[in-house]
């Protein structure tokens, strides 16, 4: 798997200079592979190119949807001007996925991926349990993460605490952690793994977390 990932990154970065070299069917799998291997930053750099072939090139040529082909064609060679390829990447950046051991989104894993070239991400997924929402905003002072968990569900939230040196963690403005140590009790969080920044068994409801650098 590591060898395949290295070859994929070489193709995207070195050979194609962060440009797409895939067809309409394969592009979504490229973004999926990059996000699943922890390279969403590479995927975002591909998305923000403006020279041919890229989505930015389509925008330059007046596109309002994603084309079937990378070049602009107006005749029968272009069968469709509306192809969606980026849903998997958006969900990866927002970090929404079901716990594979508990199907049906009864337990949700929220692991947002922070890409510093982006300032914010918001996404939601309609599930059999209800709508799951996740979003984040990055600023010079810290990171805001907002999530919504449907009724009768629990979630694990994995915060990227490694972005900051000994960060403080706040929930709805109330201090939970300072310098990696629990400071208060009585929160809706049953347990906390400080080492990897994971909050466990968050109940249903809306939550607003803040990570602040000391």
């Amino acid at each position: 798997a590591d060898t395949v990932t290295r070859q994929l990154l070489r193709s995207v970065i070195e050979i194609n200079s962060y440009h797409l070299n895939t067809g309409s069917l394969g592009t979504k799998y490229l973004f999926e592979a990059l996000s699943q291997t922890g390279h969403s930053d590479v995927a975002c750099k591909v998305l923000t190119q403006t020279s041919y072939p890229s989505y930015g090139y389509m925008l330059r040529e007046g596109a309002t949807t994603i084309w079937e082909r990378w070049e602009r064609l107006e005749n029968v060679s272009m069968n469709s001007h509306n192809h969606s390829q980026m849903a998997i990447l958006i969900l990866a950046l927002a970090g929404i996925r079901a716990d594979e051991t508990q199907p049906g989104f009864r337990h949700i894993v929220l692991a947002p991926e922070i890409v510093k070239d982006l300032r914010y991400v918001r996404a939601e997924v309609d599930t059999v349990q209800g709508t799951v929402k996740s979003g984040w905003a990055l600023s010079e002072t810290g990171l805001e993460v907002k999530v919504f968990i449907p009724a009768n569900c629990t979630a694990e939230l994995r915060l990227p605490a490694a972005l900051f040196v000994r960060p403080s963690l706040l929930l709805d403005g109330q201090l939970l952690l300072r310098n990696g140590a629990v400071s208060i009790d009585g929160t809706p969080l049953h347990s906390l793994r400080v080492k990897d920044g994971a909050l466990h068994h968050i109940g249903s409801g809306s939550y607003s977390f803040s990570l602040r650098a000391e």
Side-chain angles (χ1 to χ4, degrees):
D2 290 342
T3 300
V4 173
T5 300
R6 286 195 299 270
Q7 291 300 322
L8 175 62
L9 292 173
R10 180 175 178 271
S11 176
V12 173
I13 299 171
E14 297 179 21
I15 298 176
N16 292 291
S17 301
Y18 292 96
H19 284 74
L20 290 159
N21 188 31
T22 51
S24 59
L25 297 179
T27 302
K28 65 179 179 181
Y29 298 110
L30 170 67
F31 290 133
E32 182 175 355
L34 288 172
S35 64
Q36 288 181 352
T37 55
H39 297 95
S40 290
D41 56 334
V42 175
C44 286
K45 192 164 184 177
V46 171
L47 284 175
T48 54
Q49 297 297 324
T50 59
S51 55
Y52 175 87
S54 68
Y55 292 121
Y57 169 80
M58 294 182 187
L59 292 173
R60 283 175 48 196
E61 294 297 313
T64 57
T65 58
I66 297 173
W67 298 340
E68 179 186 41
R69 301 171 61 126
W70 298 119
E71 65 268 33
R72 180 183 178 89
L73 295 173
E74 297 293 346
N75 53 34
V76 293
S77 297
M78 182 76 84
N79 296 319
S80 172
H81 285 83
N82 189 6
H83 279 245
S84 177
Q85 307 286 356
M86 294 179 285
I88 187 67
L89 177 60
I90 294 170
L91 291 181
L93 292 171
I96 302 174
R97 69 174 186 268
D99 185 337
E100 294 180 355
T101 65
Q102 299 186 48
F105 277 88
R106 290 194 299 271
H107 186 67
I108 305 156
V109 177
L110 300 171
E113 294 188 33
I114 312 304
V115 176
K116 291 187 177 181
D117 288 339
L118 298 177
R119 306 316 301 170
Y120 69 91
V121 167
R122 290 191 296 269
E124 58 184 63
V125 176
D126 291 328
T127 76
V128 294
Q129 308 294 340
T131 301
V132 180
K133 300 180 182 180
S134 176
W136 55 264
L138 188 63
S139 68
E140 293 181 357
T141 59
L143 175 71
E144 307 289 334
V145 178
K146 294 184 178 182
V147 298
F148 177 80
I149 298 138
N152 302 315
C153 297
T154 58
E156 174 183 329
L157 175 62
R158 300 174 183 172
L159 294 171
L163 285 176
F164 307 101
V165 177
R166 301 177 67 81
S168 297
L169 173 64
L170 297 88
L171 169 60
D172 297 327
Q174 189 176 19
L175 187 65
L176 290 181
L177 293 170
R178 174 174 287 161
N179 293 331
V182 176
S183 62
I184 63 171
D185 296 319
T187 75
L189 311 175
H190 298 164
S191 62
L192 179 64
R193 283 210 309 259
V194 177
K195 181 178 180 181
D196 58 10
L199 307 174
H200 291 272
H201 303 296
I202 307 174
S204 59
S206 296
Y207 301 92
S208 178
F209 294 93
S210 300
L211 276 173
R212 293 282 184 268
E214 287 294 322

